[in-house]
Amino acid sequence: MNALFTRAPQHASAAPSTPPAPSTVTFDTTAYRPLGLLDRLSLRVGLWLLARHADRARALDHRTVAGYRAHEARVERERRERAWQSAAAFSRPPL
């Protein structure tokens, strides 16, 4: 017997619902309340922290990429130098 679901279970809020009766409609006035000083301050601090982290991550990425490119250039230079020395050694007349 197959015990797997045929589809993923849906969230309760995604289920279709009927609108409430007109007598039960209430308006929530707390949703329209302006933000207080502490809320605004915490949002600004959070945004500042996110921007600071993004700047640090960008700088770290830049340093990592620059270091990787320098390493690759050094490896390529050493490879070419070894190839040149090998070619120079074989181009000399034998003793």
Side-chain angles (χ1 to χ4, degrees):
M1 181 168 102
N2 189 358
L4 297 176
F5 293 109
T6 57
R7 66 178 196 174
Q10 300 296 314
H11 192 271
S13 65
S17 62
T18 59
S23 63
T24 60
V25 174
T26 59
F27 296 101
D28 186 13
T29 58
T30 59
Y32 303 108
R33 185 182 62 196
L35 293 177
L37 176 66
L38 188 60
D39 293 329
R40 289 194 312 262
L41 181 64
S42 66
L43 285 172
R44 285 179 186 240
V45 168
L47 183 61
W48 176 76
L49 285 172
L50 284 173
R52 180 174 172 242
H53 174 71
D55 290 341
R56 286 184 172 192
R58 191 177 304 114
L60 184 61
D61 286 345
H62 180 69
R63 283 196 309 249
T64 302
V65 168
Y68 175 75
R69 287 181 180 163
H71 173 73
E72 289 296 314
R74 188 171 50 251
V75 167
E76 179 66 18
R77 189 169 45 250
E78 290 172 358
R79 186 191 64 79
R80 287 183 182 204
E81 185 176 340
R82 281 194 308 270
W84 181 85
Q85 288 176 353
S86 175
F90 283 116
S91 68
R92 292 190 188 123
L95 296 176

